[in-house]
Amino acid sequence: MRAPPTPAAEPVPSSGNSGYILALLVLVASVMVVGWYWHDARQREMESAQADFVAATEQTTTLLYQRLGYYELVTRGGVALFGTVARPTRRQWQNYVDGLNIAQRFPSMTGLGYAAFVSRYQMQRLQEDQRAAGRGLLTIWPHGARERYGPILYLEPHTAENLNAIGYDMYSEPVRHAAMEAAMLDATPYMTGRVQLVQDLEPGTAAFLMYVPVYSGGAPPAKPMQRRAALNGWVYAPVRVRRFVN
């Protein structure tokens, strides 16, 4: 009787295969660790960059608000000049603006001006006053009959571009009108939305204007409707946005 065959022994993994698997596991683990560290470092870098951006933005915003505060002080100074006399002469207004040295101190401002607030019945008196002051006929534009006007009477410094703006009825333009009306009724400075100055002939040149109301007697009346009746006009500052932000 023949003996059953002896079963074959199971193969024993070679040490070479074991080393390969171990190396592969170590490589995968290393890649995972490096990826985790990279992701963590990238996240920290992004958070740091975001914090720097927020800090820089807040600093810029603070500087812009400070500059707006300077513009408000300048325009309020013009209102104070109207408090000393009913309506300063052009020479008095020019002397005040020249003393501010706008071109060097506030280069984004194209000047400092005054716009009168008159009804169509008061327009003739305004024209007579202009002729009596030796300035000839004041041309109001855009043309057309309106109940109220807000024409530019003074705008210094006396450059060619500012001279071309004299007589422009800002009260006839909707964006300017809204800010002028709000400043009058609230007795506080108001800024317009984005506008294009009449001095700027290139389309798309962004600007804004700040208006401060001027009332008869200096102080604003208590009630908004009384303020409308007592309003003489506005001291205003036209500002070009790009220069202002730069």
Side-chain angles (χ1 to χ4, degrees):
M1 185 173 180
R2 298 176 63 181
T6 303
E10 294 182 0
V12 178
S14 65
S15 59
N17 289 339
S18 298
Y20 174 79
I21 294 173
L22 180 61
L24 182 62
L25 292 175
V26 171
L27 176 62
V28 171
S30 300
V31 171
M32 292 177 64
V33 170
V34 171
W36 183 82
Y37 274 110
W38 174 83
H39 180 270
D40 185 63
R42 182 174 180 271
Q43 188 68 25
R44 290 198 304 269
E45 184 177 349
M46 291 180 63
E47 291 175 354
S48 176
Q50 184 178 11
D52 292 342
F53 175 77
V54 171
T57 302
E58 290 178 348
Q59 182 182 19
T60 301
T61 303
T62 299
L63 292 173
L64 293 177
Y65 272 112
Q66 289 177 352
R67 182 57 58 88
L68 287 175
Y70 298 151
Y71 294 167
E72 181 179 340
L73 289 176
V74 168
T75 52
R76 284 188 181 276
V79 173
L81 179 61
F82 277 84
T84 60
V85 292
R87 179 176 292 167
T89 65
R90 177 169 292 180
R91 174 60 63 182
Q92 290 171 322
W93 185 256
Q94 183 180 22
N95 290 339
Y96 170 70
V97 177
D98 286 348
L100 296 174
N101 196 16
I102 286 177
Q104 278 69 43
R105 297 180 62 192
F106 309 107
S108 60
M109 288 176 57
T110 64
L112 190 67
Y114 171 74
F117 183 57
V118 294
S119 68
R120 59 179 177 176
Y121 305 106
Q122 296 169 322
M123 183 59 70
Q124 182 178 353
R125 175 63 184 275
L126 178 63
Q127 296 282 12
E128 292 172 353
D129 291 344
Q130 293 292 301
R131 286 195 294 269
R135 291 190 287 270
L137 179 65
L138 176 66
T139 301
I140 306 297
W141 54 284
H143 300 294
R146 295 179 284 275
E147 288 296 320
R148 296 283 182 176
Y149 299 83
I152 299 172
L153 297 187
Y154 303 149
L155 185 56
E156 296 291 338
H158 201 62
T159 61
E161 62 178 10
N162 285 343
L163 184 61
N164 291 334
I166 299 298
Y168 174 60
D169 179 16
M170 295 189 289
Y171 204 64
S172 67
E173 193 276 315
V175 178
R176 291 170 172 82
H177 179 102
M180 297 165 84
E181 189 81 359
M184 169 180 59
L185 297 179
D186 292 348
T188 190
Y190 261 85
M191 289 170 47
T192 67
R194 173 174 173 161
V195 299
Q196 178 160 339
L197 303 179
V198 295
Q199 297 96 314
D200 293 329
L201 301 180
E202 182 179 351
T205 304
F208 65 87
L209 301 102
M210 177 182 290
Y211 294 98
V212 181
V214 178
Y215 299 98
S216 299
K223 297 181 179 180
M225 288 301 102
Q226 294 173 335
R227 292 169 187 167
R228 183 184 298 276
L231 187 75
N232 285 339
W234 301 264
V235 173
Y236 78 100
V239 181
R240 291 188 174 104
V241 172
R242 183 178 295 276
R243 289 185 184 179
F244 172 69
V245 175
N246 286 343

